[in-house]
Amino acid sequence: DAKTTQPTSMDCAEGRAANLPCNHSTISGNEYVYWYRQIHSQGPQYIIHGLKNNETNEMASLIITEDRKSSTLILPHATLRDTAVYYCIVRVSHSGNTPLVFGKGTRLSVIA
Amino acid sequence: DAGVTQSPTHLIKTRGQQVTLRCSPKSGHDTVSWYQQALGQGPQFIFQYYEEEERQRGNFPDRFSGHQFPNYSSELNVNALLLGDSALYLCASSRQPPTGRSETQYFGPGTRLLVL
């Protein structure tokens, strides 16, 4: 079972920041937080991941709370093309290529 | 574009038939993982191949089998198809990580299988 809890759906106005929350209260010290998104009927797209520090790349920012029990994915200027299902995944970081365990994710609708 | 390719894009089969799906990993990647995504659900892990061997397996029956070739490409085979096998089948590629590290998996576009 997925170790994360996300809202089922969210709306965001085009051009505004989209803030997607994720709860992972049982996360262990050796587990990363990964974010993927899936645009309708396509393969999931990797967005960003982090362990305990905040991370930023060209797509998004990841803010992880100090106790690591929750995180927020921020899309700074949402566009219509950001409409997708966003998955927050907790994944063990030790040796071996551990599988991704997906929940149902958050369906983000960006509205013009 | 993540560089992972899958074929075919769509496939229609009937119950009881067998199907083979193919995946070519991103350049530089040596590990292939397969996932099944039913309509309205998140992807579920089927199995993972590295060095031509199945390394990890999810909760899927042995009707689901696979293979990895020396060039790291992979096949997913499903025997005795059931209606419930209708799904999007996703391939993800990655490198084997150094000890204590996590390597990102990159997904292909998927193969949509319909079983009638």
Side-chain angles (χ1 to χ4, degrees), chain A residues 30 32 51 92-98, chain B residues 50 95-103:
Chain A
N30 64 348
Y32 283 84
L51 186 60
V92 175
S93 67
H94 64 61
S95 63
N97 214 320
T98 53
Chain B
Y50 170 63
R95 298 175 300 182
Q96 273 299 313
T99 301
R101 294 289 303 276
S102 177
E103 286 289 338

Side-chain angles (χ1 to χ4, degrees), chain A residues 32 34 36 38 41 43-44 46 49 87 91 93-100 102-104, chain B residues 35 37 41-43 45 48 56 90 94-97 100-105 107-108 112:
Chain A
Y32 283 84
Y34 274 78
Y36 283 79
Q38 189 171 26
S41 293
Y46 166 76
H49 73 282
Y87 295 100
R91 185 180 183 215
S93 67
H94 64 61
S95 63
N97 214 320
T98 53
L100 299 166
F102 288 81
K104 293 193 174 182
Chain B
Y35 293 79
Q37 186 174 24
Q41 304 295 318
F45 174 70
Q48 182 183 96
Q56 301 182 69
L90 296 159
S94 56
R95 298 175 300 182
Q96 273 299 313
R101 294 289 303 276
S102 177
E103 286 289 338
T104 300
Q105 294 187 8
F107 285 82
R112 186 161 297 282

